[in-house]
Amino acid sequence: MSVESRSRQSFWSKNIAWLLFMPAFILTAGILIPFGYSVVMSFTDFNLTAGTSNFIGFGNYIKLAKDPEFWNALKVTILFTIGAVAIEVGAGFASAYLLNLGMRGQKIWRTLFLLPVMLPPAVAAIMWKLMMAPIQGVFNYLLQSVGLPGSQWLGGSSSALFSVILIDAYVFMPFAGMIFLAGVQNLPKEPYEAAAVDGVSSWFTFRRLTIPLLKPVILIVLLFRIMDCLKQFDIIYAATKGGPASATMTISVQAYYHSFRWTNMGYAFAHLVILWAIVYALSYFLVGQWRKAVSEVHGY
Amino acid sequence: MDGERLTLGKVLSAVGLVIIMLWTIFPLYWVFNMSIQTPIDVISYPPKFVFDPTLENYSVVLLGKSWLGKYETVQTDFPRYFLNSLIVCSGAVILSMLVGVPAAYSLARYNFRGKENFAFTLLSFRFAPGLIVIIPLFVIFRRIGFYGTYYGMIFAYQLLTLPFSVWLMRGFFEDIPPELEYAARIDGYSWWGVFRKIDLPLIAPGIAATGILSFIFAWNEFLFGYILSSDATRPVTPSLMGFISYEQVLWGQMAAAAIITLLPSVILAIFIQRYLVRGLTFGAVKG
Amino acid sequence: MVNVELKNVVKKYGDLIAINNLSFKVNSGELMVLLGPPGAGKSSTLKTVAGVEEVTSGEILIDNELVNNFDPADRDVAMAFETYALYPHLSVFENIAFPLRAPKRSRLFSEEAVKEKVLEVARFLEIDMLLERKPKELSGGQRQRVALGRCLIRDPKVFLLDEPIAHLDAKLRYRLRQELKKWQQRKGVTTLYTTTDYLEAFSVADRIVILNKGTLQQVGSWEEIYNHPANTFVGMIVSDPPMNYFDGKLVMDGGKMLMRAKGISFYLPSLTEEKARQMNISEVVLGIFPSKILMSRDENFMPGSGTIVDGVAKFTELRGSRKIVFVQTPQDLSFTIQLPAEAKVQIGEKVRCFFGEDEVQIFDKQSKINLFWV
Ligand SMILES: Nc1ncnc2c1ncn2[C@@H]1O[C@H](COP(=O)(O)OP(=O)(O)OP(=O)(O)O)[C@@H](O)[C@H]1O
Ligand SMILES: [Mg+2]
């Protein structure tokens, strides 16, 4: 064996870390271009049909601040997020509890429970749209057959938002549920045995032991669900296209209309940059909280 | 112990479980039901739970023929959409794996400047609103002639699957103690030999799970396909929007199309159930 | 034959200095034990010799050849990892055979030869009935033996054994440490061996390197270390219970140097005295191993010329074949003594202790260095 072949602190081995990472870096850096484009273009009056774009400074943002439709979209986005996340977390927690009781057929229940998570959200929305049809839909039929009044569901200006929240909850409640379930199953046994030996009440154990230990998992569910709800597009667009009359018009859908229907791209970008800023700030905060919770749990 | 209360608790739990199962299963059951009804049955009121099943909707959707027999139908290119989805999703997944495995390995095993920053930037794209990336891509693609091409779509879809794959596989690599690699190096294997004999066999299930999950995400994606594809390259999931305009008359076919579209995702997901929690949380929760 | 030499090796993990300017040489065929408490840098040293961790600075020579830039695969060393590092997807058999199947060796061994060698090693380690199992189906001690087997199956230039028998049951540990030594001698392979157990170190080592916080404390044979521990740290870790320490003062008394501690005083041997003078030391620490102190309940006990200390047995503790006695004197000096288990002592009883002055180690109080080595 020659000395050369044995001492190969060559270019390859010195830079191996970067060489392996480089291709992925280049491909994903591709995302920065459109991203930067959006931010820059939000300061212009870029119009797709006219093909013109002039720098107008904060013009789009000033316009946004005065645009009642934007404020409505913001309100709808927040209501949608609060409603969907509340249902998903609450029902998810209850499901995790029930699926962890060790009832017979548990494995099958868990598998069936997971199914909606893997549905294409847009397809799930279409499925529910079929069932929520006001005249021939099965939901109204079921309601009426137990003597309750039917609903306009997606078609009613007061019921539409709740209806899309239900659809989002249908798809993503199992997401919350299965993560809570994983968290519950990963709980250490010893502290509970110790608490049982100490004769502590189960409510106390739940509040002082289970909740703090599950905090990282709860924060992960909140992180993913809040972020996804704030930017949810597929479900709302497939179910209502923002209607009726802006009842489900979130910022994302509004931005879609501004860009592809009305071709004032600059204004659409301003919507998206604002939405992105909100999402980013929140995710930054939640990721920080999550890290803190993780280190607290490991410090136990 | 109080036997009475125990039974009550059990009954309540069982009722709760039944409610949850109804909530998850009923929509799937009902849409499947609609998909095997004739156009007459499907719009009948009250809705029919018992009827003569038919596979007509499926044959119409799958064969993609304009079928002007007894009932009104519309011509769809469903088989073509299906093929488009396969091409675009497989392309994105293969690209993500080819490029993602080395990158994940690098992140897991080496320390280099800016590593964590870059890794977190990757993650933060997961939380960016899709349109902020898609609209510029649409504009740029139109200009450079990528709009509506498979290349363009694969590039766009890998923006979704690559960061996800890198993050998830980094976790899988980190599950392999570096000492295993050290030991194998000392045992006389080259870097590549170690990767092939130790890392690959150990991470193979993780790579498979990551690939399948990426495929599902790509398959389920609506917005990217809806905006960046032309008629010829439209994937299935966005193509379903095409049915909506005909919803009054085409419920059965729409249901059939929905069932066909969701089937691949659901079947694949059952295979990798074990990795779902980990996958859906980008590795943050190890299920 | 192969020697191994470290020259001024430094290993840092970020800001943490795991090995601090370490130099020593292992002679051909020698079994060198690295002894030190957890975190001393023993594993780090072996890893840098193996080449799986790069040194921050310094040189590593194997067979008089600088190997700093060699790949681990090209250094021809075999290592048993403290954490075992078993390949989870391979059976015990394949784990042990793994080094023989490396591309560079696979031509040398037929499948038959591999089988034979694996069986030989497995029998030696008493794991021949486990060959079909996967690592996760093994107990900790069994895993450790597989790790050892993967190492012993080779004929490398150097064995690197990182606490190779730490997790075995006591009986097997005693047997294996002797057998390992024999195996190593028969093969004549230069070996670096780590442990935290000084008895194990003394029993297998040709020579011992004592490490603390990455810094070399002493290199030498068992006798050299035990007779003249280089500093108070060494005295502490090569004895259990640790060496007894008393603060003392050196004073001039009629031209000779007198050592004074609480209730003890004696003249320094001339060699020590000279060193103390040279260094101008007056504050010292006396050290004496518990095994070097004699004790009797007889008030007139006087086995020879030496120092007598009277005290009270405060409590006793039985440790296997030894009895440890804690003694306190009226002058508030306390120390431990090691006696045979049969020795009869009552708690609270007056006892007379004796030690020869040549058994006392004298350390500089400031640097904690044994004056013998100055
Ligand atoms: N990969 C690493 N990264 C950072 N610090 C490390 C690493 N490996 C070891 N260290 C640190 O280096 C020091 C020496 O560690 P080393 O493992 O060599 O000790 P050791 O003597 O083998 O201890 P033990 O008896 O516990 O095995 C320790 O303080 C340890 O925390
Ligand atoms: Mg160690």
Side-chain angles (χ1 to χ4, degrees):
Chain A
M1 213 182 294
S2 76
V3 173
E4 236 146 278
S5 81
R6 295 169 84 183
S7 55
R8 53 181 109 80
Q9 292 299 78
S10 56
F11 175 79
W12 166 248
S13 68
K14 283 264 182 230
N15 295 292
I16 185 162
W18 260 108
L19 290 170
L20 291 173
F21 193 65
M22 202 44 104
F25 178 83
I26 292 168
L27 273 181
T28 44
I31 210 172
L32 292 173
I33 298 167
F35 215 76
Y37 188 97
S38 290
V39 176
V40 172
M41 285 305 185
S42 71
F43 295 100
T44 69
D45 64 356
F46 180 31
N47 185 300
L48 199 61
T49 23
T52 55
S53 65
N54 306 301
F55 182 75
I56 53 165
F58 283 93
N60 286 323
Y61 293 94
I62 294 164
K63 195 167 141 200
L64 266 185
K66 295 185 193 146
D67 183 349
E69 295 207 1
F70 170 74
W71 291 105
N72 174 62
L74 185 63
K75 190 185 89 190
V76 170
T77 305
I78 292 171
L79 287 177
F80 174 79
T81 303
I82 293 175
V85 172
I87 296 179
E88 287 157 20
V89 169
F93 219 96
S95 316
Y97 172 78
L98 291 172
L99 287 168
N100 196 41
L101 287 178
M103 278 190 258
R104 210 172 311 157
Q106 184 163 254
K107 248 189 114 171
I108 297 169
W109 302 135
R110 285 184 187 172
T111 307
L112 290 176
F113 175 68
L114 285 181
L115 289 182
V117 157
M118 283 298 117
L119 301 181
V123 174
I126 290 170
M127 286 168 48
W128 278 68
K129 197 175 156 82
L130 293 174
M131 295 188 295
M132 283 173 164
I135 298 171
Q136 286 132 338
V138 67
F139 282 174
N140 275 351
Y141 167 73
L142 290 176
L143 284 179
Q144 281 156 7
S145 63
V146 293
L148 290 170
S151 164
Q152 284 294 306
W153 298 107
L154 295 164
S157 52
S158 56
S159 58
L161 185 58
F162 178 69
S163 301
V164 288
I165 287 175
L166 266 189
I167 302 176
D168 194 83
Y170 173 71
V171 179
F172 292 105
M173 188 272 275
F175 170 84
M178 74 192 225
I179 290 170
F180 288 140
L181 186 59
V184 169
Q185 287 172 333
N186 289 344
L187 285 177
K189 296 242 166 12
E190 293 84 2
Y192 287 90
E193 288 161 3
V197 171
D198 295 343
V200 177
S201 78
S202 57
W203 169 243
F204 188 86
T205 325
F206 179 75
R207 223 159 37 97
R208 289 302 168 87
L209 208 55
T210 309
I211 294 294
L213 283 173
L214 284 183
K215 208 171 156 198
V217 171
I218 294 170
L219 281 166
I220 278 290
V221 169
L222 286 178
L223 173 71
F224 275 83
R225 289 318 309 143
I226 291 177
M227 300 305 112
D228 280 357
C229 284
L230 285 174
K231 68 194 181 104
Q232 182 56 262
F233 179 87
D234 299 10
I235 286 177
I236 295 170
Y237 187 74
T240 65
K241 295 195 161 150
S246 297
T248 57
M249 187 65 82
T250 59
I251 299 181
S252 276
V253 179
Q254 182 97 50
Y256 175 81
Y257 278 107
H258 278 297
S259 53
F260 288 102
R261 286 289 150 84
W262 308 317
T263 69
N264 32 6
M265 308 303 243
Y267 196 44
F269 286 135
H271 278 80
L272 292 169
V273 168
I274 295 282
L275 178 60
W276 175 73
I278 296 172
V279 170
Y280 191 84
L282 254 175
S283 71
Y284 192 85
F285 170 75
L286 283 170
V287 166
Q289 291 293 309
W290 171 67
R291 287 218 182 130
K292 213 171 91 196
V294 166
S295 70
E296 270 166 19
V297 168
H298 285 291
Y300 268 34
Chain B
M1 207 174 275
D2 192 340
E4 188 79 351
R5 266 176 59 193
L6 199 70
T7 333
L8 183 65
K10 267 191 178 167
V11 168
L12 282 181
S13 303
V15 169
L17 194 64
V18 168
I19 292 174
I20 291 173
M21 287 303 141
L22 275 180
W23 162 259
T24 14
I25 300 307
F26 181 76
L28 288 166
Y29 158 75
W30 188 255
V31 173
F32 177 71
N33 222 2
M34 291 172 77
S35 76
I36 53 172
Q37 286 176 332
T38 61
I40 302 294
D41 286 338
V42 86
I43 53 170
S44 66
Y45 193 86
K48 288 190 171 168
F49 286 82
V50 184
F51 52 88
D52 283 334
T54 167
L55 288 178
E56 259 162 35
N57 295 315
Y58 284 93
S59 69
V60 168
V61 169
L62 280 177
L63 298 178
K65 294 228 174 70
S66 154
W67 194 76
L68 297 162
K70 282 174 275 180
Y71 322 113
E72 220 174 330
T73 56
V74 68
Q75 163 137 27
T76 73
D77 260 339
F78 212 72
R80 157 149 227 153
Y81 299 148
F82 216 83
L83 185 70
N84 288 340
S85 267
L86 272 180
I87 293 173
V88 171
C89 297
S90 311
V93 169
I94 291 169
L95 186 62
S96 301
M97 290 295 130
L98 284 180
V99 169
V101 170
Y105 181 85
S106 175
L107 283 177
R109 281 292 183 263
Y110 300 105
N111 269 312
F112 50 88
R113 206 132 50 112
K115 165 176 132 168
E116 289 308 325
N117 286 340
F118 196 80
F120 270 97
T121 313
L122 280 189
L123 182 63
S124 72
F125 291 141
R126 164 68 178 74
F127 298 128
L131 280 168
I132 206 169
V133 174
I134 300 173
I135 300 175
L137 274 184
F138 171 78
V139 176
I140 296 167
F141 278 10
R142 288 246 296 214
R143 222 164 261 166
I144 63 174
F146 260 36
Y147 172 77
T149 65
Y150 288 130
Y151 297 117
M153 306 255 301
I154 288 174
F155 175 78
Y157 274 64
Q158 68 82 30
L159 291 177
L160 292 172
T161 53
L162 182 59
F164 166 75
S165 309
V166 170
W167 259 84
L168 201 56
M169 288 190 294
R170 173 191 184 172
F172 286 121
F173 275 118
E174 278 169 351
D175 287 350
I176 304 177
E179 306 233 311
L180 289 192
E181 290 179 14
Y182 295 164
R185 294 301 291 276
I186 295 171
D187 284 345
Y189 289 78
S190 62
W191 181 86
W192 174 240
V194 174
F195 190 79
R196 219 163 42 97
K197 295 266 173 153
I198 304 297
D199 291 298
L200 269 188
L202 288 176
I203 207 187
I207 292 183
T210 308
I212 291 174
L213 270 169
S214 300
F215 188 89
I216 294 173
F217 288 159
W219 188 274
N220 290 356
E221 173 56 31
F222 169 78
L223 197 50
F224 275 55
Y226 190 58
I227 292 176
L228 296 177
S229 66
S230 65
D231 263 347
T233 55
R234 182 143 308 139
V236 259
T237 305
S239 81
L240 284 192
M241 285 303 282
F243 283 90
I244 288 193
S245 5
Y246 306 96
E247 66 196 54
Q248 292 313 317
V249 275
L250 292 176
W251 280 23
Q253 284 157 45
M254 215 163 130
I259 293 288
I260 296 170
T261 307
L262 62 81
L263 220 47
S265 291
V266 168
I267 291 172
L268 287 174
I270 290 172
F271 278 113
I272 48 142
Q273 234 188 99
R274 205 153 71 78
Y275 295 96
L276 267 186
V277 169
R278 194 167 169 162
L280 290 172
T281 57
F282 271 50
V285 179
K286 297 192 172 157
Chain C
M1 297 293 264
V2 179
N3 57 40
V4 176
E5 190 171 1
L6 278 76
K7 286 186 185 166
N8 307 101
V9 170
V10 176
K11 172 71 196 170
K12 289 189 190 171
Y13 296 105
D15 287 336
L16 187 137
I17 302 175
I19 311 177
N20 191 1
N21 202 20
L22 183 62
S23 304
F24 65 87
K25 187 171 174 179
V26 192
N27 299 321
S28 290
E30 192 175 35
L31 195 161
M32 179 73 97
V33 169
L34 302 185
L35 175 64
K42 305 180 296 293
S43 300
S44 305
T45 307
L46 294 203
K47 283 181 190 166
T48 53
V49 173
V52 293
E53 295 280 8
E54 262 182 71
V55 297
T56 309
S57 67
E59 297 182 343
I60 292 174
L61 293 92
I62 297 178
D63 210 2
N64 299 320
E65 191 176 13
L66 184 69
V67 295
N68 280 29
N69 289 336
F70 281 27
D71 236 48
D74 298 327
R75 295 190 185 195
D76 198 15
V77 301
M79 178 157 173
F81 281 83
E82 185 180 8
T83 50
Y84 318 142
L86 301 184
Y87 310 124
H89 56 307
L90 301 179
S91 66
V92 168
F93 182 95
E94 286 301 327
N95 260 283
I96 298 176
F98 195 73
L100 302 185
R101 300 202 193 281
K104 59 200 253 188
R105 280 184 219 104
S106 56
R107 274 175 298 110
L108 307 175
F109 299 97
S110 67
E111 195 53 41
E112 288 300 292
V114 169
K115 223 176 228 164
E116 204 172 294
K117 287 195 74 128
V118 172
L119 266 178
E120 182 202 4
V121 169
R123 281 203 200 98
F124 172 71
L125 296 166
E126 298 178 14
I127 46 175
D128 45 326
M129 61 299 181
L130 305 173
L131 289 175
E132 296 313 314
R133 296 213 198 154
K134 289 279 176 67
K136 67 163 178 278
E137 300 159 353
L138 302 177
S139 74
Q142 291 167 336
R143 284 179 205 177
Q144 180 149 48
R145 280 177 280 161
V146 178
L148 199 49
R150 202 169 60 194
C151 195
L152 298 183
I153 199 160
R154 291 179 50 193
D155 291 298
K157 287 183 179 164
V158 183
F159 278 141
L160 303 169
L161 308 180
D162 199 357
E163 308 195 16
I165 55 174
H167 299 287
L168 306 186
D169 66 284
K171 232 161 115 192
L172 194 58
R173 197 159 62 226
Y174 290 133
R175 186 182 76 75
L176 259 185
R177 74 188 186 199
Q178 287 317 313
E179 303 266 324
L180 263 181
K181 171 94 184 166
K182 275 192 225 154
W183 180 293
Q184 182 262 342
Q185 278 173 342
R186 195 175 59 197
K187 299 229 170 180
V189 179
T190 311
T191 301
L192 275 161
Y193 182 119
T194 72
T195 177
T196 49
D197 175 358
Y198 74 100
L199 290 173
E200 182 183 331
F202 287 166
S203 108
V204 299
D206 294 316
R207 287 193 302 147
I208 297 169
V209 167
I210 295 179
L211 286 177
N212 185 29
K213 294 183 183 153
T215 310
L216 182 84
Q217 306 293 313
Q218 189 167 11
V219 190
S221 66
W222 177 83
E223 290 88 353
E224 283 166 331
I225 289 172
Y226 203 63
N227 291 341
H228 299 288
N231 54 36
T232 51
F233 172 81
V234 175
M236 214 151 66
I237 73 156
V238 299
S239 163
D240 177 44
M243 195 173 224
N244 295 301
Y245 293 115
F246 319 121
D247 283 341
K249 275 204 163 59
L250 298 181
V251 290
M252 291 309 289
D253 182 52
K256 295 202 72 180
M257 206 175 247
L258 185 68
M259 210 302 309
R260 268 218 189 114
K262 291 174 185 161
I264 307 175
S265 63
F266 55 82
Y267 291 105
L268 287 189
S270 55
L271 193 71
T272 321
E273 178 176 335
E274 201 172 306
K275 289 196 171 156
R277 264 181 218 266
Q278 266 170 25
M279 295 183 62
N280 199 15
I281 289 174
S282 64
E283 306 257 295
V284 293
V285 174
L286 271 67
I288 181 151
F289 286 120
S291 57
K292 303 272 167 118
I293 306 178
L294 302 181
M295 190 203 87
S296 171
R297 301 196 286 180
D298 174 2
E299 284 175 21
N300 302 314
F301 181 60
M302 189 69 213
S305 91
T307 299
I308 292 287
V309 186
D310 286 315
V312 175
K314 278 302 200 188
F315 52 99
T316 65
E317 182 188 327
L318 206 55
R319 289 194 192 164
S321 57
R322 307 173 301 154
K323 180 174 275 175
I324 312 299
V325 184
F326 297 80
V327 177
Q328 196 165 31
T329 70
Q331 290 85 7
D332 206 26
L333 201 65
S334 39
F335 51 91
T336 54
I337 308 178
Q338 177 182 321
L339 298 172
E342 310 80 63
K344 290 201 168 52
V345 197
Q346 234 94 74
I347 291 174
E349 194 176 13
K350 281 196 171 166
V351 292
R352 166 160 282 203
C353 307
F354 168 89
F355 55 84
E357 278 130 27
D358 50 346
E359 304 283 13
V360 177
Q361 308 291 337
I362 298 182
F363 304 92
D364 172 18
K365 183 162 184 187
Q366 240 177 359
S367 64
K368 306 281 194 262
I369 292 175
N370 196 332
L371 291 191
F372 180 88
W373 292 108
V374 173

